[in-house]
């Protein structure tokens, strides 16, 4: 096996991640039943981000990829956040 | 020294018909040449359209075209020049050919994907041209496709949008390919501090291609959805917001300016040290400024929207951010000038084009500050001042860098030289024609002549006449340059492997390079601008 | 000198492509964010008309299919090819089921006149019209990606069957799986933003 391939993750590890994802889905559905005003959206986004990072780091093996790739993902997300954020300087103050 | 009849990768392989040998080749050099020929052809058709626009504007009133034809002319001129020439021009042609050669690789990371990029580009181009002759007639929206007009005009906008989407996809794939190549295929010893500055600029460009182009993709899809289905996402009568279209469009299209100009700056950074016989001044600063321009350039799209009805807070912030981009751009210019200082400058054609770039780009950049400042922008917005500024940056910048690259790398690609004297004369004619063409535009714009009209008030006629005459001078110069280059690549004197005595890696193999570039991965032992080490890896 | 196959390079290429997919959907999320800020009440009313049960079902389906494709890769790398193929089949089946449920959901909306040009949609407040417009575009584009992902995995399944994707040369499956996970990732955000709004 060449050195650029990563160790296969065990079935147990993957299944645990899946189980966590199910629990988080339950939580996000549960939270949505209570009206917390603006907090609802942020809670939904927060839980979704948590789920997304589980998928990214375990299912997509980012944990065992070079750190450079993690940095690149960060750049991509930062770019998206900036695009949305700067647009709000227009939308909120118009 | 190679045998003088060695044609390297240009040698026909006799495996299949000659045409297939090229259009299905996965060799990065052949794909690069395919790009070169296609962008060259589209450039010439764009020039022709530009000449027609100028001819219409030689006198007030209808001259050769009706208002509707004029709208189609400038839309097409914009689409062809932007999407088919400037964006793929330097990365597609010279990036493809030089990237693997300059980092000591055999090819790009994904050769077949590379070929797919070219095919998608050709498909998109074909669709863009088809949109002229089918459906409701040629699009008349301008290359910006602003809603609500673009979602309602009966002309053939949908097909043109689909073409833009496909060309964008091609651009993304090229970006993916280049970033992976630079990360994975550098030759031993070619660490990041030894990357040629052209590669640094391609790297920054490729990131912008990957992260900004998809936003354009979704934007044109949304306009198509509006035209075909009609959810009213940008229609104020149905709760939509047309200004959001402008945000989405410029989120791509402003960084796209840097997709166009960054590789051009890379070319200039290659040429100036070679023809000053001095290592480049401030290598790290130039490399970092490429990345800084890519990053900062992604934050300034709002300066296209100062008169759109956007909030004053946003105008203030985008204006401020716009001025920030001037810093890394100026870092480059100052470092180029510092490289020239006390160098042993030889004014050969590539250098002449490079120097013209620095001069014209500076004019373009400085007039950009007038537009980036909200108060002055409101005065000159949508006038010919903008047209003049834009062409100083895009043509005076990227166009001249493209010509510089042609003159600099043609001996590398074909192993032959063009006629130096004719090249110099052509350069002079182009330079004069260019300034005659575009400088009057800025003056007439300051006096209030709006852009995108086929007609104007009589007192603008003098400057418009000068501008149109300039367009003819420019066209003559371009014709002379292309004929000279063509003759050079076919029958010019043999150039030898390294006619300019440059120290970057692409000059180490024979010219033209052999099919596999390097017989084994070269061990790189010096920086790209150690000119005393020229010819050694 | 021949080029060595570079598995890490291929994965990096796929990741970069996924970044651009992220930004593609990013444009839609930008519109969503702006319009949510402008029409919060209408978006909540619109969200309540979506079937949260079907949405939750689809979420579980995608998460599970993400698991099966990750398991398939591990199985292949452990040399258990048969198991890998079964898991891939399960993933593809889940994707088809997802699309079916999505179809049922759209059908129900159409039956209520909520489609472009439909009388019901036109009579809604403008904020809700925007909500449903975005809903159809976003889930439609996502559905298209589900289809592409499923086709990619089907092709990989064929290659695995023919022995061209193996434990030593698994990059095709790795990249197919990466693409599939992206489809899941996007849905993880679509689900609460559209179905669970109050």
């Amino acid at each position: 096996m060449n050195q650029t391939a990563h160790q296969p993750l065990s079935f147990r590890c993957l299944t645990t991640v899946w189980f966590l994802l199910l629990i988080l889905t339950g939580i996000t559905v549960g939270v949505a039943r209570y009206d917390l005003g603006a907090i609802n959206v942020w809670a939904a986004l927060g839980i979704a981000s948590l789920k997304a990072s589980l998928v990214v780091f375990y299912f997509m093996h980012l944990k065992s990829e070079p750190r450079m790739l993690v940095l690149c993902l960060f750049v991509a997300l930062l770019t998206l956040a900036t695009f949305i954020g700067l647009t709000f300087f227009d939308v909120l103050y118009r | 020294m190679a045998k003088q009849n060695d044609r390297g990768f240009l040698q026909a392989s006799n495996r299949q018909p000659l045409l297939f040998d090229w259009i299905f080749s996965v060799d990065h050099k052949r794909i690069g040449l395919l790009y070169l020929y296609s962008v060259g052809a589209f450039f010439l058709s764009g020039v022709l359209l530009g000449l027609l626009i100028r001819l219409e504007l030689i006198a007030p009133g209808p001259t050769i075209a009706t208002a509707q034809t004029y709208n189609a002319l400038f839309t097409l001129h914009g689409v062809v020049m932007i999407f088919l020439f400037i964006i793929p021009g330097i990365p597609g042609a010279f990036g493809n050919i030089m990237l693997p050669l300059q980092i000591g690789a055999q090819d790009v990371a994904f050769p077949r994907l590379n070929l797919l990029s070219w095919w998608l580009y050709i498909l998109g181009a074909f669709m863009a041209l088809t949109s002229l002759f089918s459906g409701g007639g040629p699009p008349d929206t301008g290359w910006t496709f602003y809603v609500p007009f673009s979602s309602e005009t009966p002309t053939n906008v949908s097909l043109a949008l689909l073409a833009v989407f496909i060309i964008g996809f091609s651009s993304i794939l090229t970006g993916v390919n280049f970033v992976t190549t630079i990360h994975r295929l550098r030759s031993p010893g070619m660490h990041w501090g030894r990357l040629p500055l052209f590669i640094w600029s391609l790297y920054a460009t490729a990131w912008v291609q990957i992260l900004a182009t998809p936003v354009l993709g979704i934007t044109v899809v949304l306009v198509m959805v509006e035209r075909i289905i009609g959810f009213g996402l940008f229609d104020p009568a149905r709760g939509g917001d047309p200004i959001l279209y402008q945000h989405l469009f410029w989120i791509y299209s402003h960084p796209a300016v840097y997709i166009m100009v960054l590789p051009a700056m890379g070319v200039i950074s290659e040429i100036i040290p070679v023809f000053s016989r001095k290592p480049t001044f401030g290598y790290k600063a130039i490399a970092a400024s490429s990345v800084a321009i890519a990053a900062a350039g992604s934050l300034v799209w709002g300066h296209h929207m100062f008169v759109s009805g956007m909030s004053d807070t946003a105008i203030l912030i985008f204006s401020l951010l716009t001025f920030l981009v001037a810093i890394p751009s100026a870092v480059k210019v100052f470092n180029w000038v510092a490289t020239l200082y006390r160098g042993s400058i030889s004014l050969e054609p590539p250098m002449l084009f490079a120097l013209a770039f620095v001069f014209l780009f500076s004019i373009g950049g400085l007039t950009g500050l007038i537009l980036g400042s909200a108060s002055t922008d409101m005065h000159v917005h949508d006038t010919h001042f903008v047209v003049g500024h834009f062409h100083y940056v895009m043509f005076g910048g990227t166009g001249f860098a493209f010509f510089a690259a042609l003159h600099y790398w043609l001996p590398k690609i074909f192993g032959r030289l063009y006629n130096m004297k004719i090249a110099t004369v052509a350069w002079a004619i182009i330079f004069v024609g260019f300034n005659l063409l575009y400088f009057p535009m800025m003056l007439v714009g300051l006096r209030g002549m709006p852009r995108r009209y086929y007609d104007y008030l009589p007192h603008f006629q003098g400057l418009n006449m000068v501008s149109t005459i300039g367009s003819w001078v420019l066209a003559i110069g371009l014709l002379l340059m292309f004929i000279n280059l063509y003759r050079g690549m076919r029958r010019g004197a043999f150039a030898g492997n390294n006619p300019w005595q440059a120290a970057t890696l692409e000059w180490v193999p024979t010219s033209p390079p052999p099919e596999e570039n390097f017989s084994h991965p070269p061990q790189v032992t010096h920086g790209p601008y150690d000119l005393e080490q020229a010819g050694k890896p | 000198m021949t080029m060595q196959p570079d598995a890490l390079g291929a994965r990096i290429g796929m990741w970069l492509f996924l970044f651009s997919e992220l930004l593609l959907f990013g444009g839609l999320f930008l519109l969503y964010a702006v319009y949510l800020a402008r029409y919060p009440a209408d978006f909540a009313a619109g969200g309540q008309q979506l079937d949260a049960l079907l949405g939750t079902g689809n979420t579980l389906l995608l998460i599970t299919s993400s698991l099966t494709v990750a398991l398939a890769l591990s199985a292949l790398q452990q040399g258990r090819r048969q198991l890998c193929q079964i898991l891939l089949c399960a993933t593809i089946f889940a994707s088809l089921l997802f699309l079916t449920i999505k179809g049922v959901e759209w059908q129900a909306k159409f039956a209520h006149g909520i489609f472009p040009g439909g009388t019901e949609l036109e009579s809604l407040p403008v904020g809700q019209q925007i909500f449903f417009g975005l809903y159809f575009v976003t889930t439609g584009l996502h559905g298209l990606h589900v289809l592409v992902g499923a086709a990619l995995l089907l092709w990989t399944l064929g290659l695995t069957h023919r022995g061209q994707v193996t434990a030593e040369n698994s990059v095709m499956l790795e990249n197919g799986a990466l693409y599939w996970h992206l489809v899941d990732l996007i849905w993880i955000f679509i689900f609460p933003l559209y179905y669970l709004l109050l």
Side-chain angles (χ1 to χ4, degrees), chain B residues 261-528:
Chain B
V261 88
L262 268 173
M265 293 168 154
V267 170
I268 303 308
S269 309
E270 292 296 310
I271 290 174
I272 285 185
V274 170
F275 292 90
S276 316
R277 304 311 305 162
K278 252 181 78 187
T280 193
F281 185 88
Y283 168 87
K284 280 183 189 158
I286 297 183
S289 67
S290 286
V291 181
I293 288 176
S298 302
L299 311 177
V300 301
W301 73 85
H303 66 219
H304 295 268
M305 302 164 58
F306 286 160
V307 298
S308 69
M310 185 172 70
S311 79
D312 289 346
T313 316
I315 290 178
L316 190 74
I317 286 174
F318 280 121
S319 184
L320 174 73
L321 290 170
T322 300
F323 284 103
L324 292 183
V325 188
I327 297 171
S329 309
V331 165
K332 280 193 195 291
V333 173
F334 290 140
N335 279 299
W336 291 329
V337 174
T339 308
L340 290 168
Y341 178 64
R342 302 188 73 172
S344 164
I345 297 170
S346 57
L347 291 175
E348 307 210 40
M351 185 63 160
L352 289 172
F353 279 105
L355 293 177
F357 171 99
V358 177
F359 178 69
L360 300 174
F361 179 77
S362 297
I363 295 179
L366 292 172
T367 50
L369 294 179
I370 295 172
L371 295 165
S373 160
S375 49
T376 41
D377 177 73
M378 306 234 173
H379 177 65
V380 291
H381 193 92
D382 256 336
T383 66
H384 265 69
F385 186 82
V386 179
V387 183
H389 151 76
F390 178 81
H391 283 87
Y392 264 91
V393 177
M394 295 286 76
F395 190 173
T398 312
F400 271 69
F402 186 80
F403 304 151
L406 271 174
H407 286 88
Y408 180 58
W409 279 316
L410 190 109
K412 177 73 233 170
I413 300 170
F414 296 101
R416 290 169 185 270
L417 278 171
Y418 40 83
N419 182 314
M420 296 288 165
K421 209 167 276 170
I422 299 179
T424 309
V425 172
W427 168 81
I429 299 175
I430 292 174
F431 186 78
V432 171
F434 177 91
N435 285 297
L436 272 182
L437 169 54
Y438 296 114
F439 204 78
M441 280 192 194
M442 293 204 274
L443 298 179
V444 88
L446 279 177
R447 293 186 194 172
M449 178 172 157
R451 65 172 177 167
R452 295 188 168 176
Y453 286 86
Y454 80 121
D455 194 4
Y456 52 85
L457 296 172
H459 62 267
F460 294 134
Q461 194 186 352
L463 286 169
N464 272 297
M465 177 85 88
V466 175
S467 181
T468 302
I469 292 171
S471 75
W472 300 335
V473 177
L474 179 64
I476 291 168
L478 289 174
L479 203 64
L480 185 64
M481 181 186 77
F482 280 118
I483 291 174
N484 183 40
L485 287 172
Y486 181 76
R487 281 171 55 100
M489 78 185 223
R490 297 306 293 250
R491 308 198 282 278
F494 288 106
N497 286 348
N498 192 358
W500 317 121
Q501 290 300 307
T504 36
L505 203 50
E506 80 266 29
W507 299 99
V508 172
T510 53
S511 304
E515 203 179 334
E516 73 282 3
N517 295 353
F518 302 92
S519 50
H520 53 89
Q523 176 69 43
V524 180
T525 55
H526 62 86

Side-chain angles (χ1 to χ4, degrees), chain B residues 105-111 165 169 172-173 176 179-180 184-185 207 210-211 214-215 217-218 222 225 229-234 237-241 244 248 251 518-521, chain C residues 1-3 6 8-14 16-17 19-21 23-28 30-31 34-35 38-39 115-117 121-122 126-127 129-130 132-134 136-137 141:
Chain B
Q106 191 187 5
D107 206 318
V108 290
F110 310 112
F165 183 86
F169 195 61
I172 291 173
L173 294 182
V176 166
V179 171
T180 315
R184 296 295 297 164
L185 297 183
W207 270 105
I210 293 172
L211 294 180
V215 181
I218 194 68
L222 284 169
V225 166
I229 306 175
F231 285 119
L233 287 177
F234 298 126
R238 298 164 67 190
D241 183 351
L244 282 182
L248 285 175
I251 283 177
F518 302 92
S519 50
H520 53 89
Chain C
M1 174 166 126
T2 52
M3 280 172 81
D6 176 12
L8 178 58
R11 288 205 300 276
I12 290 177
M14 192 65 190
L16 294 172
F17 183 69
F19 295 161
S20 74
E21 291 277 16
L23 269 291
L24 183 80
F25 280 95
L28 291 174
L30 187 151
L31 288 185
V34 171
Y35 287 132
R38 193 165 297 167
Y39 308 111
F115 54 86
L121 185 63
E122 306 256 295
V126 287
Q129 292 190 33
I130 293 289
F132 281 110
L134 274 177
F136 280 118
V137 175
L141 189 67

Side-chain angles (χ1 to χ4, degrees), chain C residues 68-150:
Chain C
T68 51
V69 81
L71 288 177
L73 179 61
S74 279
L76 184 76
Q77 286 171 340
Q78 292 164 6
R80 295 150 82 180
R81 207 174 78 177
Q82 198 86 45
L83 182 63
C84 165
Q85 290 179 16
I86 295 170
L87 286 164
L88 273 180
C89 285
T91 312
I92 294 163
F93 179 71
S95 71
L96 296 180
L97 206 57
F98 177 91
L99 287 175
T100 316
I101 293 178
K102 184 99 277 162
V104 169
E105 212 184 302
W106 276 31
Q107 198 63 51
K109 286 281 153 297
F110 289 173
H112 286 102
I114 297 185
F115 54 86
T119 46
E120 181 72 18
L121 185 63
E122 306 256 295
S123 66
L124 289 174
V126 287
Q128 287 196 42
Q129 292 190 33
I130 293 289
F131 176 83
F132 281 110
L134 274 177
Y135 162 77
F136 280 118
V137 175
T138 312
T139 54
L141 189 67
H142 180 262
L144 218 58
H145 280 75
V146 171
L147 211 60
V148 172

